Amino acid sequence: MAVSYYIAVDGGGTKTDFALIDEEGRLLARERRGPSNYQNVGPEKCVALLRDGIAALLGSRALRASDVTAACLGLAGLDTDQDALAYDEILDRVFDEPVAHIRKENDCFVALHSGTLGGAGIGLIAGTGSMAIACNERGERARSGGWGHRFGDEGSGFFIGREAIVRSLMARDGRGPATDLARRIEEATGTRLFDLVTQYNTQYPGPDKIAALAPVVDAAARDGDAVARAILVEAASELAAAVRAIMARLDFEGRPPRVVLCGGAFHSDLLRTLVEAELRRLAPGIECFRPELPPVAGAYVLALEAAGRSVTPQIVARLRAAFASDPFNSES
């Protein structure tokens, strides 16, 4: 019997994960590349990166695109009809040959399904950007936030990193409370704070570079820095507000939904604890959890769905075992 192959992609603002998985949930190949949000890197770089990652997957097994049963690509910046058209043009250039089923989704929807495995719930994503996205038992969807670092992404890694710079400047100017954040930022970047700001004002580094400062804030907060903790408290409040907005619009059969906490910002135990406390105040019975699988596995779940297949317990068990032993996972 011929093997069915599935391509799963989780494309974000900081990195892009690629996986080749068979119909039984066996992880055959995995690749990682840089950011692929076309709004940030531009369509040409997005095409080149996606082509390169997918070609590496196929090349690892001497496959062609026509050997693939289905592909699901979770794509950052897929927010509007205009974005959908832009990504249609991009994907037309990514695959040299037709694939039977190609599904494109916002990367946050893919992350949601890494936790729910196709079921109902809310995905609260805090990576470089942020968004809450949901699907209920009837398949109805809703989203809140995720409008990019210029006009949104409250509570994200970018938000946390930007606030760290802003409040460090205020402290150095004497306009705000004292904080150790400035020193820590200088140590992390190897650049004096004022020089760093001048550099970023003249040559903007992109949201992923700002988001990279989020762990600096987490470390300072854990060491008792009040300003750093205040930033995380504000981030948690913003993230909980996105969930609140969804729960006001979408019904989950009259019971609190499950909330999947995804994204690199949630590597912070403190931020996660603050968010969970906010959500339990919102709905006492709400269940918050970190997914056992990375977002790229959620893309695989949706690729199976696109091909008319369901996720069995045996498939889930193989995925868990495969991704648990994958060295990429320690970096997810």
Side-chain angles (χ1 to χ4, degrees), residues 99-121:
V99 173
H101 305 280
I102 297 179
R103 179 172 182 172
K104 65 181 188 302
E105 294 283 358
N106 183 282
D107 64 321
C108 295
F109 194 69
V110 161
L112 164 65
H113 286 282
S114 70
T116 64
L117 301 176

Side-chain angles (χ1 to χ4, degrees), residues 5-216:
Y5 299 99
Y6 296 82
I7 286 177
V9 179
D10 169 42
T14 300
K15 63 181 183 295
T16 302
D17 259 348
F18 301 81
L20 179 69
I21 308 173
D22 73 10
E23 76 277 11
E24 300 298 330
R26 298 181 185 91
L27 178 62
L28 305 177
R30 194 173 181 191
E31 295 287 331
R32 177 164 290 176
R33 298 293 186 271
S36 56
N37 185 337
Y38 90 100
Q39 296 177 2
N40 297 337
V41 304
E44 293 303 319
K45 287 186 178 179
C46 180
V47 169
L49 183 140
L50 293 176
R51 282 179 63 91
D52 181 60
I54 290 171
L57 290 181
L58 296 174
S60 71
R61 294 279 167 160
L63 298 173
R64 302 167 64 97
S66 55
D67 296 319
V68 175
T69 299
C72 177
L73 297 93
L75 301 164
L78 177 51
D79 300 315
T80 66
D81 291 342
Q82 181 179 335
D83 296 324
L85 290 173
Y87 271 123
D88 282 341
E89 293 177 3
I90 287 168
L91 296 183
D92 283 344
R93 299 169 59 193
V94 166
F95 292 97
D96 293 326
E97 297 178 327
V99 173
H101 305 280
I102 297 179
R103 179 172 182 172
K104 65 181 188 302
E105 294 283 358
N106 183 282
D107 64 321
C108 295
F109 194 69
V110 161
L112 164 65
H113 286 282
S114 70
T116 64
L117 301 176
I122 297 176
L124 180 57
I125 291 83
T128 301
S130 68
M131 178 194 284
I133 194 164
C135 183
N136 68 8
E137 291 81 359
R138 292 184 295 280
E140 299 166 335
R141 296 191 190 187
R143 59 168 282 175
S144 179
W147 299 114
H149 65 282
R150 292 182 180 86
F151 305 109
D153 285 346
E154 296 85 357
S156 67
F158 171 83
F159 173 92
I160 293 167
R162 180 185 179 279
E163 286 301 307
I165 294 174
V166 168
R167 299 187 196 202
S168 294
L169 289 171
M170 293 175 70
R172 286 277 173 93
D173 283 350
R175 296 180 291 123
T179 175
D180 193 40
L181 283 172
R183 181 192 66 79
R184 290 173 183 260
I185 289 170
E186 290 174 338
E187 188 175 280
T189 62
T191 308
R192 292 177 64 251
L193 179 66
F194 295 147
D195 293 336
L196 185 73
V197 171
T198 298
Q199 176 186 324
Y200 284 1
N201 277 332
T202 55
Q203 294 181 321
Y204 183 63
D208 55 317
K209 292 285 188 183
I210 307 296
L213 296 175
V216 174

Side-chain angles (χ1 to χ4, degrees), residues 19 21 27 30 293-294 296-297 318-326 329:
I21 308 173
L27 178 62
R30 194 173 181 191
L293 296 170
V296 72
R318 289 193 189 96
L319 288 174
R320 285 174 176 157
F323 282 106
S325 60
D326 192 307
N329 245 27

Side-chain angles (χ1 to χ4, degrees), residues 233-262:
V233 168
E234 185 175 343
S237 177
E238 292 287 357
L239 293 170
V243 173
R244 185 186 305 113
I246 282 182
M247 290 180 65
R249 298 203 308 270
L250 207 60
D251 178 57
F252 288 90
E253 295 191 346
R255 62 176 183 269
R258 305 173 76 212
V259 178
V260 186
L261 305 177
C262 303

